[in-house]
Amino acid sequence: MRRHPDQPARHVRIALGLEAVNDDPPPGTLPLAQAPWQTWTRPLRRLAPGLTKAETAAEHIRTKNQALVALTDAGTTLMVDTPHRDSGLGLPLYVLAPAASVVRTLGLEPTAGICGFSLSDAAGEALICRQWHGHLVHDGNYDPLLPAIAGADLLIRPDLFTRLCDTIGPSRCRTGISVRHMPATHDAAPDSGD
């Protein structure tokens, strides 16, 4: 008979992100910037009025070392009309978003008529965030356990990915990765990897 443990022995957190850097991404760092969760719901001109010119944002991407994928504060910030994270279904803990400079450079805005993680441009849906989960490891008791797999990813339209890579420059476009192992009782946000 096969038996699963009452609680998983450890969590493995893997973070992968696109970075614009002159050299290889620094080892042991999280390849994600920070962004407000409102990136998905409000136009950038309202969130960051100082970042109004696409040329300025593109120049920033071309010259500054930075992660181009961001981890939002959705899991840690109370939002209007949403239940607290510990009370039933609510906000996902980690919501990815593009960095503000990417949103401005590509001219993206929240997708009209879609209540979710979707940004569009004049040609239609351009970038979406998928939240995905796995199955629950369960041994027959009544306490639900954490999902065996949980995560998020960003999907970008191929033409915009090519445009973004051309803006970054082929020699500065890198993939950063962080892998972190921790006991199941440790519930901190992902940080620098091992």
Side-chain angles (χ1 to χ4, degrees), residues 7 15 22 33 43 55 61 100 104 107 116 125 133 138-139 144 149 159 172 176 179 183 191 194:
Q7 292 289 332
N22 292 326
E55 300 81 23
I61 288 175
R104 188 62 194 124
E125 277 192 286
H133 301 279
H138 201 279
D139 68 348
I149 299 171
D159 63 309
R172 290 178 33 83
V179 179
D191 55 12
D194 291 332

Side-chain angles (χ1 to χ4, degrees), residues 131-156:
Q131 296 293 126
W132 41 274
H133 301 279
H135 64 281
L136 296 174
V137 177
H138 201 279
D139 68 348
N141 65 23
Y142 291 103
D143 295 328
L145 302 176
L146 294 173
I149 299 171
D153 57 15
L154 290 178
L155 301 175
I156 187 170

Side-chain angles (χ1 to χ4, degrees), residues 94-149:
Y94 306 116
V95 177
L96 296 178
S101 56
V102 172
V103 173
R104 188 62 194 124
T105 298
L106 298 178
L108 304 179
E109 300 241 346
T111 303
I114 292 183
C115 181
F117 307 122
S118 176
L119 298 175
S120 295
D121 63 5
E125 277 192 286
L127 195 142
I128 63 169
C129 175
R130 294 187 308 179
Q131 296 293 126
W132 41 274
H133 301 279
H135 64 281
L136 296 174
V137 177
H138 201 279
D139 68 348
N141 65 23
Y142 291 103
D143 295 328
L145 302 176
L146 294 173
I149 299 171

Side-chain angles (χ1 to χ4, degrees), residues 21-32:
V21 293
N22 292 326
D23 297 316
D24 287 332
T29 60
L30 190 65
L32 302 171

Side-chain angles (χ1 to χ4, degrees), residues 13-17 29-32 176-180 190-191:
R13 293 205 172 121
I14 302 170
L16 181 76
T29 60
L30 190 65
L32 302 171
I177 186 167
S178 172
V179 179
R180 177 103 171 129
D191 55 12

